[in-house]
């Protein structure tokens, strides 16, 4: 998806993340050299993977690669951003989507749900011309119910499963780490292992501030008790979903691996390598590794 307002760096990052091009620098350099400056239309595009940078740019500018009435929702996308993507990929106005989403009771969600957060399954959707906002959103909700049913989640457990899966989705990186992240948070909910009962997730705090794209927070944000999603202050599971999780996160919520870990930190943002620790000393050592990596890669700062 190319979103309204995306600049060259955002588009290049998307292409790298999706495996369309290998190098950020190669594509971005061609983008800067192209005159007149390319104009990209928001929406979904179908491209091959492992493309040469110049070929990828030509493909993006070819009207034939833009998919009509198609929306791509990546795992972990927040609902506010899903609504934006639907409006960019279809003819449905954003205002219609926001109005439909506000009528939460019409979608058959668990009674605890006050928004659609967590229940818009991340996938690629193709809608028909004339589909309404209600039809589009219900299709995503139904697809999430299908995922939960396939995973063996009882209707009564849909809410708790989605809340936990949404947290794992935002905090985990590599595939195998999802099951370890799940275990860390369950260990923190066990008073015999983690007395405070505080999950201490930056992703929950960021969500509560409205920063749906971040998993970093400030000292002031982590101290704000007015943020109901602040798991540095409020013990127990986060009060609601913080993203729309996919199959892997749902499975990890249901089937955590066994382990004693209480901490984790990603020490290489390029590879996603994450260190899981049991003691404060182990974790502090891993944090130093991460800090050193960040100093060597200031572009991530």
């Amino acid at each position: 998806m190319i979103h309204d307002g995306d600049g060259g760096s955002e588009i290049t990052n998307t292409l790298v993340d999706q495996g369309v091009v290998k190098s950020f620098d190669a594509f971005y350099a061609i983008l800067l050299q192209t005159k007149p400056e390319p104009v990209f239309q928001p929406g979904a595009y179908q491209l091959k993977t492992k493309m040469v940078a110049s070929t990828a740019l030509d493909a993006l500018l070819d009207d034939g690669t833009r998919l009509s009435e198609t929306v791509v929702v990546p795992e972990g996308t927040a609902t506010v951003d899903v609504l934006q993507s639907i409006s960019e990929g279809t003819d449905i106005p954003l205002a219609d989507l926001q109005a439909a989403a506000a009528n939460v009771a019409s979608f058959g969600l668990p009674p605890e749900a006050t928004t659609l957060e967590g229940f818009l399954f991340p996938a690629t959707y193709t809608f028909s011309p004339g589909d309404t906002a209600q039809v589009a959103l219900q299709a995503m909700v139904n697809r999430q119910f299908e995922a939960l049913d396939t995973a063996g989640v009882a209707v009564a457990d849909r809410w708790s499963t989605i809340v936990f899966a949404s947290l794992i989705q935002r905090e985990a990186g590599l595939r195998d780490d999802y099951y370890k992240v799940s275990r860390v948070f369950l260990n923190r909910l066990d008073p015999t292992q983690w007395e405070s009962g505080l999950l201490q997730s930056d992703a929950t705090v960021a969500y509560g501030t409205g920063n749906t794209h971040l998993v970093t927070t400030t000292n002031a944000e982590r101290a704000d008790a007015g943020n109901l999603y602040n798991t540095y202050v409020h013990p127990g599971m986060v009060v609601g979903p913080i993203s729309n999780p996919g199959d892997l996160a749902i499975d990890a919520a249901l089937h955590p691996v066994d382990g004693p870990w209480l901490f984790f930190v990603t020490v290489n943002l390029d590879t996603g390598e994450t260190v899981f620790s049991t003691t404060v000393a182990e974790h502090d050592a891993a944090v130093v590794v991460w800090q050193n990596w960040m100093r060597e890669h200031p572009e991530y700062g």
Side-chain angles (χ1 to χ4, degrees):
M1 290 287 291
I2 290 180
H3 301 289
D4 190 22
D6 274 0
S9 60
E10 288 90 355
I11 293 170
T12 306
N13 277 324
T14 298
L15 294 174
V16 173
D17 290 343
Q18 297 297 320
V20 175
V21 298
K22 183 177 181 180
S23 165
F24 178 98
D25 293 340
F27 185 86
Y28 195 61
I30 289 177
L31 203 55
L32 294 177
Q33 293 165 9
T34 303
K35 303 298 180 193
E37 185 178 336
V39 176
F40 301 98
Q41 298 301 316
Y45 290 77
Q46 186 169 33
L47 302 172
K48 296 178 181 178
T49 56
K50 300 180 180 178
M51 297 180 77
V52 175
S54 57
T55 307
L57 178 58
D58 290 342
L60 273 182
L61 298 174
D62 181 349
D63 289 341
T65 60
R66 187 175 184 276
L67 300 174
S68 176
E69 304 295 327
T70 299
V71 179
V72 180
V73 180
E75 287 88 350
T77 307
T79 290
V80 63
D81 302 312
V82 176
L83 301 185
Q84 186 73 40
S85 291
I86 298 172
S87 72
E88 291 166 353
T90 70
D91 296 324
I92 306 172
L94 180 59
D96 290 3
L97 290 157
Q98 291 168 334
N103 187 14
V104 178
S106 68
F107 291 96
L109 299 185
E112 298 94 336
T114 57
T115 71
L116 298 186
E117 196 69 81
F119 291 92
L120 302 178
F121 187 79
T124 299
Y125 297 88
T126 299
F127 299 107
S128 300
D131 278 349
T132 64
Q134 182 78 24
V135 166
L137 293 172
Q138 190 68 62
M140 294 183 174
V141 170
N142 291 346
R143 181 63 185 82
Q144 186 63 283
F145 287 164
E146 180 185 327
L148 291 166
D149 291 345
T150 300
V153 177
V155 172
D157 296 330
R158 282 176 172 175
W159 174 256
S160 60
T161 302
I162 284 294
V163 172
F164 190 23
S166 77
L167 170 62
I168 296 167
Q169 185 73 72
R170 291 293 288 143
E171 287 281 12
L174 301 176
R175 182 179 185 86
D176 290 346
D177 289 346
Y178 278 65
Y179 300 89
K180 288 185 175 181
V181 168
S182 177
R183 174 53 62 192
V184 168
F185 287 127
L186 289 175
N187 287 347
R188 288 188 176 189
L189 292 173
D190 178 357
T192 66
Q193 299 186 65
W194 190 259
E195 188 175 343
S196 71
L198 295 169
L199 292 183
Q200 296 183 337
S201 161
D202 287 84
T204 66
V205 179
Y207 181 84
T209 67
N211 292 320
T212 56
H213 301 100
L214 298 178
V215 290
T216 56
T217 56
T218 66
N219 289 336
E221 288 169 344
R222 291 190 295 274
D224 179 14
N227 178 353
L228 297 181
Y229 289 84
N230 185 352
T231 53
Y232 280 85
V233 174
H234 303 292
M237 183 53 67
V238 62
V239 294
I242 63 168
S243 74
N244 289 287
D247 288 321
L248 178 60
I250 291 171
D251 191 58
L254 299 172
H255 304 107
V257 297
D258 289 333
W261 313 289
L262 290 166
F263 309 90
F264 62 91
V265 59
T266 300
V267 297
N268 185 319
L269 299 186
D270 279 342
T271 65
E273 179 189 354
T274 299
V275 174
F276 290 81
S277 305
T278 304
T279 68
V280 173
E282 291 169 348
H283 179 61
D284 287 348
V287 168
V288 171
V289 175
W290 168 67
Q291 290 171 336
N292 289 339
W293 189 92
M294 289 294 288
R295 273 194 290 273
E296 294 168 4
H297 299 80
E299 66 273 19
Y300 286 89

